[in-house]
Amino acid sequence: MPQWSLRAKNGIFYPDDITEQYVNGRAKRKYRFYESDKGAQYKDIKEFDASKIEPQVAFPHLPSNTKGISDVGTVFVDQAVIGSCTNGRLDDLRTAARVLKGHKTSSNVKLIIIPATQMIYRQAMKEGLFDIFLDAGAVISPPTCGPCLGGYMGVLAKGEKAIATTNRNFVGRMGHPESEVYLSNPAVAAASAVLGRIGSPEELGTIFPSP
Amino acid sequence: MKHKGRAWKFGANIDTDAIIPARYLNVTDPGELAQHCMENENPQFLQEVREGDMIVAETNFGCGSSREHAPIAIKAKGIFCVIARSYARIFYRNAFNMGLPIIESNEAVDGIQDGHKLEVDLEKGEIKNETTGQTFRANPIPPFMQELIDDGGLMAHIAKRGAV
């Protein structure tokens, strides 16, 4: 399932083989993997079954102000932003492409896609994801903060609403103080761009996780 | 050292975009940042705040970005210190790094209204509401953090010790 649907302050994972593969060749300095002491005591242990949590949408104006996608109701959007430093990984773009393939964005919505890095940008291009995005009517941006903090490109006007996979939705975050930002994962943002309102990819017939 | 000033009351989750909107992040001059401090949140504050006044806020003050512009703007606006129930952790350390004293006190937030006159003793962790006569306790600022404030922030603190 697409990533950023839950809110957490910090995530620490034990590095596995995939992590090592990733770090190897990328790290510019010698690295070292840390692990917990044997027999370490934990203050608290909580277990969650992420597969039972539906995608969450953060309503204005706090990232923690969330509702499950089925409780969102009708929220029309003027803009959808997929990517930035948050949720701009190759996996996220693949997810967005899977939802967008064969669809056009709503005529009321501008869709901006922001790969997180130049490397991801190039990989996404090579994989053909850009064709899907362009066919859907999206704008593909170079990696940038851009609209996330109302910097440029996609700055919201008074009363406009955006769904974004960025990580903050405070008052005036993406432009005018009377605009609104809703946060979601890339699949929901992509589906919303097509639907013209906040909605689930299932409404377009895309089911996650992949069969 | 005791300090006197008026209280400006704010709510919960005052985020860094409220403190200094992102559109001013290309500004580096503290005086210019101060001209926009809380401009969307409370325009009256912007117009009427006086040198030495204090911000009194609910929980999670300073949540959001790690931008140091936020404590810089507050400090440059002339605010002596911030009193809140709690702070977002990045802002907490940022404030000390920038030389802005901030203190935590539930009872003070309970007992202070907008416009009340306060007297604050940072070293003792004592907040007196001169309007109502009540006195509140806050956790004293830890000695190391107090050193940062006295030196004018982290960079000045390091420079003073000859490290840069």
Side-chain angles (χ1 to χ4, degrees):
Chain A
M1 187 63 203
Q3 287 79 10
W4 202 80
S5 262
L6 292 175
R7 176 176 186 252
K9 284 287 187 186
N10 198 341
I12 300 173
F13 296 85
Y14 182 76
D16 58 8
D17 293 342
I18 298 170
T19 314
E20 179 143 33
Q21 248 176 42
Y22 182 86
V23 173
N24 217 337
R26 278 188 173 85
K28 296 199 170 68
R29 288 177 295 179
K30 205 176 161 199
Y31 58 85
R32 178 178 161 192
F33 286 159
Y34 290 90
E35 53 188 294
S36 306
D37 297 335
K38 286 198 175 64
Q41 300 285 309
Y42 295 90
K43 184 150 190 262
D44 198 4
I45 294 175
K46 290 181 192 292
E47 289 190 17
F48 299 94
D49 183 350
S51 69
K52 294 204 166 63
I53 302 170
E54 66 168 343
Q56 303 289 303
V57 175
F59 274 54
H61 296 283
L62 259 189
S64 54
N65 186 22
T66 59
K67 289 183 184 180
I69 186 71
S70 55
D71 297 324
V72 163
T74 305
V75 180
F76 293 103
V77 291
D78 305 283
Q79 175 165 296
V81 178
I82 298 173
S84 79
C85 68
T86 311
N87 295 317
R89 290 157 292 211
L90 194 56
D91 270 359
D92 300 317
L93 301 184
R94 286 175 184 152
T95 297
R98 218 182 122 204
V99 176
L100 291 169
K101 193 166 187 179
H103 294 288
K104 288 263 181 215
T105 56
S106 159
S107 57
N108 297 323
V109 179
K110 52 181 180 285
L111 170 62
I112 301 168
I113 294 182
I114 311 173
T117 67
Q118 295 284 66
M119 187 185 284
I120 293 168
Y121 189 102
R122 193 192 296 270
Q123 283 173 330
M125 192 163 60
K126 280 188 179 165
E127 282 186 19
L129 304 184
F130 282 10
D131 289 327
I132 296 170
F133 297 152
L134 291 170
D135 286 345
V139 170
I140 302 163
S141 155
T144 179
C145 294
C148 173
L149 45 32
Y152 65 97
M153 188 183 58
V155 176
L156 297 179
K158 184 176 179 178
E160 280 193 322
K161 295 179 184 186
I163 183 138
T165 73
T166 55
N167 61 7
R168 306 198 204 286
N169 61 345
F170 303 126
V171 173
R173 173 71 184 191
M174 207 173 261
H176 196 279
E178 287 172 43
S179 61
E180 291 183 347
V181 181
Y182 297 74
L183 304 176
S184 76
N185 68 39
V188 168
S192 306
V194 174
L195 295 164
R197 57 174 169 78
I198 299 177
S200 152
E202 279 152 37
E203 293 187 56
L204 300 173
T206 311
I207 309 294
F208 289 94
S210 309
Chain B
M1 195 184 68
K2 287 179 181 174
H3 174 88
K4 291 185 184 206
R6 294 181 309 167
W8 287 86
K9 236 5 222 301
F10 287 86
N13 303 311
I14 298 296
D15 59 82
T16 48
D17 283 293
I19 297 169
I20 184 74
R23 57 188 171 275
Y24 304 117
L25 293 188
N26 56 348
V27 173
T28 52
D29 175 45
E32 199 181 332
L33 285 171
Q35 289 169 26
H36 303 289
C37 184
M38 305 281 193
E39 73 176 15
N40 298 331
E41 186 66 27
N42 183 350
Q44 196 193 357
F45 169 86
L46 192 61
Q47 298 303 319
E48 298 175 16
V49 73
R50 290 200 293 251
E51 181 81 25
D53 283 355
M54 292 169 241
I55 288 175
V56 180
E58 296 287 335
T59 51
N60 201 26
F61 187 86
C63 61
S65 305
S66 56
R67 64 185 70 149
E68 69 273 22
H69 305 67
I72 290 173
I74 293 173
K75 195 180 168 197
K77 193 69 198 155
I79 291 294
F80 172 70
C81 74
V82 182
I83 302 164
R85 291 189 200 279
S86 65
Y87 298 89
R89 68 203 186 293
I90 320 179
F91 178 87
Y92 187 84
R93 189 53 196 257
N94 250 346
F96 284 97
N97 288 349
M98 295 302 140
L100 172 72
I102 58 177
I103 44 182
E104 284 181 341
S105 173
N106 276 323
E107 52 185 272
V109 177
D110 284 334
I112 296 171
Q113 295 305 319
D114 212 29
H116 279 179
K117 289 180 179 164
L118 310 178
E119 184 184 84
V120 173
D121 186 329
L122 288 177
E123 277 143 44
K124 283 194 194 153
E126 205 171 87
I127 303 152
K128 192 175 171 194
N129 187 337
E130 293 191 323
T131 307
T132 65
Q134 287 175 290
T135 301
F136 314 106
R137 301 291 310 162
N139 294 335
I141 294 175
F144 170 68
M145 304 298 259
Q146 184 63 50
E147 266 181 50
L148 291 183
I149 298 290
D150 293 343
D151 289 347
L154 180 64
M155 293 304 284
H157 174 79
I158 292 170
K160 194 175 161 185
R161 275 149 187 77
V164 288

